[in-house]
Amino acid sequence: MLVAGYSGVGKTAVVNEVQKPIVRQRGYFIKGKFDQFQRNIPFSALVQALRELMAQLLTQSVESLTQWKENILQVLGNNGQILIDVIPELEIIIGRQSPVTELSGNAGQNRFNLLFENFIKLFAKKDHPLVIFLDDLQWIDLASLNLIKIIISEFNQQDLNSEETEASLLLIGAYRDNEVNASHPLILTLEEMRKEGAIINQITLSPLTKNDLNLLISDTLSCTLRLALPLTELV
């Protein structure tokens, strides 16, 4: 799901409302924000979101943490240190891991992408769905775009192959649509994903109308719409 609109229109506030029903369903809601001045740091928002997830896990019982440790080690195998290097809190859960053999170029990137993808799958289950909110996609780096494309493609493929898939992942992205054009990497990647059959919905937020704002002010100040109108016009 994409949420587009001008800066300050309320994209983040709208998305944050999703958190309440997700938590009620024993799910995880995590978020990360891309930064205009950190475009040279790959996966910054995804790492930020997963560090938040680790912090949530660390508030759970010892029994629950022990189970998570077993599940994570089973998925990561001998490559746990690769993710610990980018998500330091993970070491508190699974302990120090053995050094791994370094791979260069595409081999190293493919290994990292696969680990990241499998790690996310571990938390995106029907009994505890995972929602990842990535803000300010207009500043996303190419490595993150590629990883998101891989993840969406993989989850989409699972949905096509199984009537009752175990996966339960919702990716929400917010971006300033006035700061991207048709040749922006984000738009180009989204078009590619749509052509491959990915389910991508979009909400475009516009400013409140004068009538909506008048209702809001009238309700806030417990007065009539007519009495609130001069203040509405001023706002």
Side-chain angles (χ1 to χ4, degrees):
M1 173 66 76
L2 295 168
V3 182
Y6 281 71
S7 174
V9 79
K11 300 183 296 298
T12 305
V14 167
V15 175
N16 281 338
E17 289 301 309
V18 174
Q19 184 169 0
K20 298 166 190 174
I22 289 297
V23 171
R24 280 200 298 270
Q25 296 294 327
R26 295 181 64 250
Y28 297 105
F29 179 95
I30 57 175
K31 56 188 174 182
K33 188 180 178 74
F34 289 102
D35 191 293
Q36 183 177 6
F37 304 108
Q38 292 186 339
R39 294 190 194 182
N40 61 324
I41 303 175
F43 315 114
S44 60
L46 284 161
V47 167
Q48 188 182 336
L50 289 172
R51 292 187 71 175
E52 185 180 314
L53 178 57
M54 296 304 100
Q56 290 182 32
L57 292 187
L58 287 167
T59 65
Q60 296 182 9
S61 66
V62 174
E63 292 81 5
S64 181
L65 270 178
T66 302
Q67 187 60 57
W68 278 119
K69 178 180 179 179
E70 291 177 10
N71 294 343
I72 292 169
L73 287 173
Q74 189 174 355
V75 165
L76 299 183
N78 298 321
N79 295 308
Q81 191 58 43
I82 294 173
L83 288 191
I84 288 174
D85 288 342
V86 292
I87 309 169
E89 292 82 357
L90 180 58
E91 186 174 330
I92 304 171
I93 298 172
I94 65 173
R96 185 167 298 194
Q97 299 295 299
S98 304
V100 297
T101 307
E102 285 193 25
L103 299 176
S104 59
N106 287 337
Q109 189 61 64
N110 290 339
R111 179 176 66 179
F112 180 84
N113 287 349
L114 184 61
L115 281 172
F116 219 97
E117 178 191 324
N118 289 337
F119 190 61
I120 287 174
K121 278 184 194 173
L122 185 61
F123 299 97
K125 303 289 186 184
K126 280 199 168 182
D127 55 345
H128 48 77
L130 175 65
V131 177
I132 304 176
F133 170 37
L134 301 175
D135 206 353
D136 283 330
L137 286 178
Q138 71 275 2
W139 295 323
I140 192 171
D141 59 280
L142 291 175
S144 295
L145 260 181
N146 185 50
L147 182 56
I148 288 169
K149 183 181 175 184
I150 291 169
I151 291 169
I152 289 178
S153 174
E154 176 64 26
F155 273 87
N156 192 49
Q157 200 60 40
Q158 284 186 27
D159 286 339
L160 291 173
N161 292 336
S162 171
E163 290 183 6
E164 198 161 331
T165 178
E166 282 290 310
S168 265
L169 173 70
L170 174 61
L171 276 173
I172 305 176
Y175 71 100
R176 302 175 186 177
D177 53 355
N178 60 309
E179 294 187 21
V180 300
N181 54 33
S183 60
H184 192 285
L186 172 65
I187 303 302
L188 294 174
T189 303
L190 290 172
E191 282 306 310
E192 281 179 37
M193 288 192 286
R194 284 191 178 100
K195 286 176 184 174
E196 292 171 6
I199 302 167
I200 302 175
N201 297 294
Q202 177 157 330
I203 298 171
T204 302
L205 297 184
S206 56
L208 291 174
T209 64
K210 182 176 172 180
N211 185 54
D212 290 332
L213 188 57
N214 196 37
L215 285 165
L216 178 63
I217 290 174
S218 167
D219 184 58
T220 303
L221 300 179
S222 299
C223 66
T224 65
L225 292 170
R226 185 175 178 181
L227 188 61
L229 189 58
L231 178 56
T232 298
E233 289 174 338
L234 182 63
V235 171

